Amino acid sequence: MSHSEARTSSDPDPANPTEREVRNPEESRLRDLLEPAVVANRLYLEDVAIQVAGSHRVVHVVIDLPQEETGGVSLDVIADVSRALSDVMDNDPQADSRPYDLEVSSPGVGRPLTEPRHWHRARGRMVKVNVIQGDNVTGRIQSVDDEGVTLVPEQEVKKGTKPKQGEPVKIPFDRIRQGKVEVEFSHLHEAGLEDDENGPSGRPNGY
């Protein structure tokens, strides 16, 4: 028996591998089990994490759009995928008898940019990049390739003055210590963070 919840989130997620220990064997097994259902919906399985409290489990699944697409995963799509994944888990021949809650979410705009696919997904966004052995850069992602990221930097100006753009600069991946999207109001709707979907949202469904 399971309880399924669909949500978007801009907060750190327990299923983010950069914010927790390396997944255990059961998480790897569940990832292999659930990935075909995610791919069938033309989505990418970002991660799977399990939290155990006594005889109860919470399975966190993070899904995302393919790297060539921009925008965010809608709550309606997350709800559809939640139902599909719940069916898979309910018919898992290797599952134990413990009840579980299934929580499916999208990464949200607060996800650190730690992999090339994250940078691809953030094309067109304003980002802050911490550079190894160089000055940090804030700018808009113009393009991404196998070697690195090309940004159009924003130059510092006096307060109240419209920001000026500098010449495009390419930063190789091996010189990037950390990257993060800067939230812009005009892009909130793409991340599912506008109107009734502002922040973590639960949409429980009984199964």
Side-chain angles (χ1 to χ4, degrees), residues 137 142 150-155 164-170:
V137 180
Q142 184 181 74
T150 299
L151 302 177
V152 177
E154 283 207 344
Q155 300 176 340
K164 294 182 179 180
Q165 294 182 338
E167 292 297 318
V169 56
K170 184 169 184 176

Side-chain angles (χ1 to χ4, degrees), residues 8-184:
T8 59
S9 177
S10 57
D11 298 325
D13 193 288
N16 190 324
T18 66
E19 298 169 3
R20 62 179 182 83
E21 298 298 324
V22 177
R23 69 171 61 87
N24 61 40
E26 177 62 8
E27 289 173 339
S28 295
R29 189 189 72 82
L30 277 182
R31 182 186 180 99
D32 292 340
L33 178 71
L34 300 176
E35 189 166 28
V38 174
V39 173
N41 283 272
R42 303 181 67 181
L43 296 167
Y44 177 84
L45 180 56
E46 185 84 13
D47 204 53
V48 175
I50 302 173
Q51 291 181 318
V52 179
S55 61
H56 190 80
R57 295 177 297 158
V58 179
V59 179
H60 302 272
V61 177
V62 181
I63 60 175
D64 199 6
L65 294 175
Q67 72 173 28
E68 62 272 11
E69 297 187 30
T70 57
V73 185
S74 72
L75 280 175
D76 287 338
V77 170
I78 292 176
D80 290 342
V81 174
S82 296
R83 287 188 284 271
L85 298 185
S86 184
D87 287 341
V88 172
M89 291 187 63
D90 285 346
N91 291 283
D92 179 7
Q94 299 184 46
D96 58 35
S97 58
R98 290 179 297 177
Y100 68 90
D101 285 347
L102 174 64
E103 294 184 358
V104 181
S105 67
S106 62
V109 294
R111 169 184 58 185
L113 306 176
T114 59
E115 302 176 17
R117 71 171 308 274
H118 297 163
W119 293 94
H120 280 279
R121 288 281 293 114
R123 293 189 313 277
R125 293 294 185 94
M126 186 69 64
V127 297
K128 182 176 182 180
V129 185
N130 292 334
V131 181
I132 299 173
Q133 296 182 341
D135 295 331
N136 295 338
V137 180
T138 296
R140 196 171 301 280
I141 298 178
Q142 184 181 74
S143 63
V144 183
D145 58 26
D146 293 340
E147 284 74 41
V149 181
T150 299
L151 302 177
V152 177
E154 283 207 344
Q155 300 176 340
E156 292 187 6
V157 295
K158 293 182 180 180
K159 187 175 181 180
T161 304
K162 185 178 180 180
K164 294 182 179 180
Q165 294 182 338
E167 292 297 318
V169 56
K170 184 169 184 176
I171 307 175
F173 284 125
D174 60 8
R175 288 188 56 207
I176 297 175
R177 177 179 289 110
Q178 185 182 45
K180 187 175 182 180
V181 171
E182 298 284 280
V183 178
E184 299 176 89

